[in-house]
C-alpha cells in the first residue's frame, strides 16, 4: 500500500505506533517497524543517556526505519535533541505536548524528518511553515494528554489547511477506523491504545486486562484545571482525582499541587505494577474496541484486511 507517508519514510504500511510514556520502548518500536509500520521510541522525562540506550537497542533489533518521540515538557529536552542531532543516526523525530519550533532547524540540518503532533489547525499551519515534513493530527479520542477537538472534525480541517501529509491519531484501532481516517484525507494513522495489548508491549498484564475489559464509556478526563487534560480508564484513582478537582475548582485559589501530588507515580504504577485501582491507566476512547492480545504484525495486517473489506462494501454502494 502506497501513500505520501509510506513513500516519505520508506515503510510498508501507513501505520505509526504512538509514543506512550513508560511503554513505547525499543522492543515495541522495533516490533512495529519489523511488521512494516513505523515504531516510535518514547523518551518521556528521560535524559540523553537513557534515550541512547533505547535507540541502540532498537538498532540491533530492526534495520527498518523507526522514530523517536520528544516529549516537549521533558526537563532534559535540550540534551535529548543534542544527542539525536549529533550522534543517534535516527531519521525521524515526532514531538508532542508543545511547540517544537526552536528545534526544527537543527533537525533539518541533520537530515532528520520532523513530524509534530498537533491538536489544532493553527499549529499545523505553523509547523508546515517552519519545515515539518508531515503532521500527526491528534483528536480528543486519543489517550494520555489530549486536545479538545475530535479526530473526525480536526483531520479534514487540517488536511484542507496544509499541503504536507497528515497522519490521523485518536480513535483508531481497526481497519474501519483506519479506513475512515483515510477517507478524511489522512495519508497514515497513528495508533496507541491498541498497541498496549500487543504481545511485544512490555507492560504489566493488569494494564492489558484493563484495556481488554474496557467499555465504550470507560474513559474519563483528568486534569482539566491543571491545563493538562489526560484521558485515562475510570478507576478508584480517577474517582478520587475528580472529587479533588471539583473541590479545588470551587476555590478562589485552587491548590494544583495537591492534584499533581495525587497523580505522582501513578502511570508507572499502572505500567509496571498493573495497579488497576490506583494506577493512571492512560488510554483512548477506542479501548472498548480492543478485545484481544495480538502481535504487532497481526494488528497491522488486520487493519489492512479490515480496511480493504470495508472499502469494497462502500464502493459497492456507489455502483
Ligand atoms: O503528548 C501527548 N500525549 C501524552 S504525553 C503524556 S506524558 C504525561 N504524563 C502525565 C501528565 C501529562 C502528560 C501522556 N500523553 N500527545 C501529543 C499531543 N500533543 N497531544 C496534544 C498535543 C499538543 C498540545 C499543545 C501539541 C502541541 C501543543 O501546542 C501548544 C503550544 O505551545 O502551541
Amino acid at each position: 500500500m502506497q501513500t505520501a507517508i509510506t513513500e516519505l519514510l520508506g515503510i510498508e504500511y501507513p501505520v505509526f505506533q504512538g509514543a506512550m510514556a513508560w511503554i513505547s520502548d525499543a522492543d515495541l518500536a522495533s516490533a512495529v517497524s519489523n511488521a512494516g509500520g513505523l515504531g516510535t521510541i518514547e523518551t518521556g522525562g528521560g535524559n540523553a543517556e537513557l534515550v541512547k540506550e533505547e535507540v541502540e537497542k532498537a538498532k540491533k533489533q530492526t534495520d527498518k526505519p523507526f522514530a523517536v518521540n520528544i516529549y516537549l515538557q521533558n526537563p532534559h529536552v535540550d540534551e535529548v535533541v543534542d544527542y539525536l542531532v549529533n550522534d543517534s543516526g535516527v531519521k525521524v523525530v515526532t514531538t508532542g505536548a508543545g511547540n517544537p519550533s526552536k528545534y526544527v532547524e537543527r533537525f533539518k540540518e541533520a537530515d532528520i524528518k520532523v513530524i509534530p503532533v498537533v491538536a489544532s489547525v493553527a499549529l499545523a499551519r505553523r509547523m508546515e511553515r517552519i519545515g515539518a515534513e508531515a503532521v500527526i493530527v491528534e483528536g480528543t479520542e486519543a489517550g494520555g494528554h489530549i486536545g479538545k477537538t475530535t479526530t473526525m472534525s480536526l483531520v479534514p480541517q487540517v488536511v484542507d489547511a496544509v499541503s504536507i501529509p497528515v497522519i490521523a491519531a485518536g480513535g483508531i484501532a481497526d481497519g474501519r477506523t483506519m479506513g475512515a481516517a483515510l477517507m478524511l484525507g489522512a495519508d497514515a494513522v497513528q495508533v496507541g491504545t491498541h498497541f498496549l495489548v500487543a504481545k511485544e508491549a512490555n507492560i504489566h498484564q493488569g494494564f492489558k486486562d484493563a484495556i481488554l475489559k474496557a467499555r465504550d464509556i470507560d474513559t474519563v478526563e483528568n486534569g482539566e484545571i491543571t491545563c493538562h487534560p489526560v484521558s485515562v480508564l475510570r478507576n478508584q484513582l480517577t474517582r478520587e482525582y475528580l472529587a479533588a478537582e471539583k473541590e479545588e475548582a470551587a476555590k478562589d485559589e485552587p491548590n494544583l499541587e495537591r492534584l499533581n501530588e495525587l497523580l505522582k507515580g501513578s502511570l508507572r504504577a499502572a505500567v509496571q505494577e498493573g495497579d488497576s485501582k490506583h494506577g493512571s491507566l492512560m488510554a483512548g476512547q477506542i479501548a472498548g474496541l480492543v478485545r484481544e492480545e495480538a502481535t504487532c504484525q497481526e494488528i497491522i495486517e488486520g487493519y489492512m484486511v479490515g480496511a480493504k473489506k470495508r472499502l469494497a462494501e462502500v464502493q459497492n454502494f456507489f455502483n
Side-chain angles (χ1 to χ4, degrees):
M1 182 180 177
Q2 293 223 319
T3 74
I5 284 293
T6 60
E7 281 176 33
L8 178 73
L9 303 177
I11 57 177
E12 200 178 342
Y13 300 119
V15 180
F16 289 17
Q17 161 253 317
M20 295 171 282
W22 291 92
I23 297 159
S24 307
D25 59 7
D27 290 343
L28 183 60
S30 58
V32 170
S33 289
N34 283 333
L38 185 78
T40 306
I41 292 173
E42 70 83 21
T43 64
N47 60 19
E49 196 54 42
L50 283 171
V51 176
K52 183 175 180 181
E53 261 174 46
E54 285 309 304
V55 168
E56 290 305 320
K57 198 169 164 198
K59 280 191 206 160
K60 289 201 184 93
Q61 295 177 171
T62 185
D63 52 10
K64 303 261 178 74
F66 62 87
V68 171
N69 175 265
I70 301 175
Y71 175 55
L72 291 162
Q73 311 296 324
N74 180 357
H76 304 291
V77 58
D78 287 330
E79 65 173 79
V80 170
V81 170
D82 285 345
Y83 159 68
L84 289 170
V85 165
N86 293 326
D87 53 6
S88 71
V90 166
K91 295 283 175 236
V92 187
V93 161
T94 64
T95 69
N99 182 340
S101 293
K102 73 176 193 187
Y103 303 111
V104 170
E105 188 102 344
R106 291 183 61 209
F107 285 126
K108 291 189 78 68
E109 278 167 11
D111 211 19
I112 295 173
K113 294 185 172 74
V114 188
I115 309 185
V117 174
V118 300
S120 70
V121 167
L123 193 59
R125 279 209 171 102
R126 206 152 152 212
M127 294 301 100
E128 175 177 45
R129 212 163 47 234
I130 63 171
E133 256 80 13
V135 280
I136 299 165
V137 177
E138 190 183 87
T140 194
E141 297 93 321
H145 173 61
I146 45 169
K148 283 202 181 306
T149 312
T150 61
T151 304
M152 178 82 108
S153 300
L154 189 58
V155 170
Q157 295 187 65
V158 173
V159 166
D160 283 354
V162 300
S163 316
I164 51 178
V166 163
I167 300 102
I172 291 146
D174 69 354
R176 294 167 301 175
T177 43
M178 172 178 172
L182 298 176
M183 284 298 291
L184 297 177
D187 301 291
V189 294
Q190 176 166 283
V191 173
T193 303
H194 199 174
F195 283 119
L196 288 172
V197 302
K199 296 222 165 105
E200 297 91 340
N202 296 317
I203 69 171
H204 195 285
Q205 192 61 37
F207 194 169
K208 292 191 180 185
D209 289 342
I211 300 284
L212 296 169
K213 276 197 302 222
R215 297 164 303 170
D216 55 342
I217 53 168
D218 283 342
T219 54
V220 289
E221 271 179 45
N222 272 173
E224 187 102 48
I225 65 167
T226 64
C227 297
H228 290 292
V230 173
S231 169
V232 292
L233 294 183
R234 187 194 310 280
N235 63 4
Q236 184 67 26
L237 172 69
T238 64
R239 277 189 285 276
E240 286 168 12
Y241 186 94
L242 289 170
E245 192 173 48
K246 208 167 162 190
E247 273 176 32
E248 295 305 328
K251 294 180 185 165
D252 289 339
E253 284 186 43
N255 179 356
L256 301 185
E257 206 35 53
R258 172 190 172 205
L259 297 175
N260 291 332
E261 207 49 43
L262 276 173
L263 297 182
K264 230 178 205 164
S266 61
L267 180 58
R268 200 196 57 77
V271 174
Q272 295 188 340
E273 291 154 26
D275 185 345
S276 58
K277 286 200 177 118
H278 298 101
S280 187
L281 302 161
M282 290 193 187
Q285 293 178 8
I286 203 70
L289 199 69
V290 175
R291 280 293 159 262
E292 55 190 18
E293 291 180 55
T295 64
C296 292
Q297 185 163 357
E298 287 164 345
I299 289 174
I300 294 174
E301 287 179 355
Y303 288 10
M304 296 302 134
V305 172
K308 256 191 205 164
K309 177 170 172 279
R310 183 63 188 146
L311 182 62
E313 290 165 3
V314 173
Q315 257 168 350
N316 254 337
F317 301 153
F318 291 95
N319 290 337

